[in-house]
Amino acid sequence: MVIVGGGAAGLCLAHQLTAAATTTRSVIVVEPPEGPTRTPERTWCFWDEGTCDFDEAISASWSRLRVHATDGRQVTVDPVPLRYRMLRSTRFERLVHARLAAHPGARVLRATAGAVRDTADGAAVSCVASDGRQLTLHARHVFDSRPLHALPPARTCLVQHFRGWFVRTAAQRFDPTVADLMDFRVPQPRHGLAFGYVLPLASDRALVEYTEFSRAPLTTAAYESSLGHYCRDVLRLGTFTVEAAEQGAIPMTDARFPRRIGPAVFRIGTAGGATRPATGYTFAAAQRQSRAIVAALETGRPLIPPPHGRRALAMDAVLLRALDTGRIDGPDLFTALFSRVPAKRLLRFLDGATTLREEWAIGLRTPIGPMLRTAVELPLLPRHFRPAPRTAESTS
């Protein structure tokens, strides 16, 4: 089989396919060659308990999480046994590539993938190799993780967009045991919300991001201004240097992402709906999706289950619409949830792993009137096509 795209979703699936004890399939991962078409280094975060398949590539993890309200009040939680983990894409790719190299039926092909078409016995992928040769790969199944150029029609479409600095401070300014998930002590946009995000790597090093959930990304200059304000005036870091930067945009939408686009062609990752609409988290869902694909293939049914359940998607659709209309105050909502809901249950809720009873209890901690009004109007709203947000940029 062929996997188009060697990002988080593509490599998670390749790892699961080659790790399966019963697999005898050949696996080809098509990745762009070095150059402008290759995605810059990225940071992925997720929470889990115990060990995971990629522990060797984890850059840092935290047992405590913190939220800062707009008035400066702090809420610190310990979601034991869950830990918040950070992966850098380069280390992750190096680890999975090494595992694929040790598998006789797997390989990574550096080429630019083009059209994918159905054939009588599967599908074919047209590629251009790094030396300019035209290649056609034939496979029984093709899994395409490439970003979409346009999003499916949606009633609400926000963008989680951000720019982050990897900073080093002259003095010890960070607590390496606690990650700041949301710091709302920043100016809020007219639609949506904004927050700071701090992942300490040492007492004098951290990834510091400025993030918005809003209708459109900012210019790089605007991110730089907001980051400067946050680091100097909110965090009061004193003297610091920026060692690297990353920038990205993630769709937050109630669009319905088709997972099967041909008899033998499937979409995975963000293109296949793995991104959680209300949070932007994708990596954990990509792992679940990969395991589900392998399980389906082993039973002879090449179907991809939805990465998120219907209830989770319905609740996300209501939240996105309520944020976009301004009916709810985003910073107040998230601060209240972290203050009033047990941390482990809340993180399970954000991961779509709670029961109906648990979700009902969490729903009672939200502004009930505005949420109900939004839920009632949502089915009446038309869906519209929108372009996909621009891809990540990074400098170092």
Side-chain angles (χ1 to χ4, degrees), residues 178-391:
V178 59
D180 287 305
L181 280 189
M182 290 180 161
D183 186 344
F184 295 114
R185 296 174 296 172
V186 295
Q188 296 299 310
R190 182 177 178 183
H191 297 277
L193 57 88
F195 56 90
Y197 178 64
V198 182
L199 301 182
L201 306 175
S203 58
D204 62 346
R205 292 189 302 116
L207 169 59
V208 181
E209 288 188 356
Y210 173 81
T211 302
E212 284 191 13
F213 296 177
S214 58
R215 293 181 178 178
L218 306 177
T219 64
T220 299
Y223 291 122
E224 292 280 296
S225 176
S226 295
L227 267 171
H229 164 73
Y230 182 56
C231 288
R232 287 187 291 268
D233 302 329
V234 178
L235 297 180
R236 301 186 183 276
L237 296 185
T239 302
F240 67 91
T241 56
V242 178
E243 298 182 327
E246 65 179 21
Q247 185 169 315
I250 303 168
M252 303 178 70
T253 171
D254 64 355
R256 298 166 182 163
F257 289 82
R259 299 182 302 281
R260 189 168 192 166
I261 55 175
V265 183
F266 304 85
R267 285 199 178 117
I268 59 174
T270 296
T275 297
R276 181 72 193 265
T279 65
Y281 284 105
T282 306
F283 192 83
Q287 293 184 76
R288 290 197 302 271
Q289 190 178 59
S290 297
R291 290 190 289 267
I293 290 170
V294 172
L297 289 172
E298 289 182 344
T299 62
R301 296 175 299 176
L303 300 175
I304 303 181
H308 305 288
R310 291 183 179 180
R311 290 202 314 271
L313 294 178
M315 290 184 292
D316 284 0
V318 174
L319 175 60
L320 290 178
R321 176 67 180 175
L323 282 173
D324 190 39
T325 58
R327 288 185 188 135
I328 63 170
D329 183 289
D332 286 351
L333 171 67
F334 284 103
T335 303
L337 289 177
F338 275 91
S339 300
R340 302 172 185 172
V341 179
K344 181 182 177 182
R345 183 186 302 169
L346 180 58
L347 295 187
R348 288 177 56 244
F349 171 73
L350 295 177
D351 218 19
T354 43
T355 65
L356 178 59
R357 183 175 180 179
E358 289 173 321
E359 290 161 3
W360 179 261
I362 291 172
L364 294 177
R365 301 292 189 271
T366 66
I368 296 175
M371 288 296 204
L372 286 177
R373 177 184 172 189
T374 303
V376 169
E377 78 169 7
L378 208 55
L380 306 177
L381 298 175
R383 293 178 178 268
H384 300 285
F385 287 96
R386 294 174 176 84
R390 65 173 182 263
T391 56

Side-chain angles (χ1 to χ4, degrees), residues 45-206:
C45 290
F46 62 102
W47 44 78
D48 67 1
E49 55 183 281
T51 59
C52 72
D53 291 337
F54 310 112
D55 275 351
E56 298 167 56
I58 297 293
S59 298
S61 68
W62 302 268
S63 60
R64 295 191 298 151
L65 307 175
R66 184 166 56 199
V67 172
H68 297 261
T70 53
D71 61 5
R73 179 169 52 92
Q74 296 182 16
V75 179
T76 303
V77 299
D78 183 352
V80 63
L82 298 176
R83 292 185 67 89
Y84 194 58
R85 301 175 185 269
M86 171 184 172
L87 269 174
R88 292 286 282 159
S89 62
T90 299
R91 291 181 63 178
F92 171 74
E93 290 167 6
R94 190 180 301 125
L95 173 64
V96 178
H97 284 181
R99 292 176 178 176
L100 296 180
H103 192 283
R107 68 184 178 109
V108 176
L109 173 66
R110 291 300 180 97
T112 302
V116 179
R117 57 184 175 83
D118 296 308
T119 63
D121 56 353
V125 183
S126 300
C127 303
V128 179
S130 54
D131 60 4
R133 289 180 296 122
Q134 302 284 334
L135 304 173
T136 301
L137 304 177
H138 295 271
R140 185 175 178 183
H141 301 111
V142 173
F143 297 91
D144 194 343
S145 68
R146 289 175 295 180
L148 301 175
H149 295 296
L151 299 175
R155 294 164 299 199
T156 308
C157 188
L158 298 179
V159 182
Q160 180 182 157
H161 52 98
F162 59 88
R163 184 170 175 84
W165 286 343
F166 287 87
V167 303
R168 184 182 293 271
T169 56
Q172 296 183 351
R173 298 290 185 182
F174 304 107
D175 179 355
T177 69
V178 59
D180 287 305
L181 280 189
M182 290 180 161
D183 186 344
F184 295 114
R185 296 174 296 172
V186 295
Q188 296 299 310
R190 182 177 178 183
H191 297 277
L193 57 88
F195 56 90
Y197 178 64
V198 182
L199 301 182
L201 306 175
S203 58
D204 62 346
R205 292 189 302 116

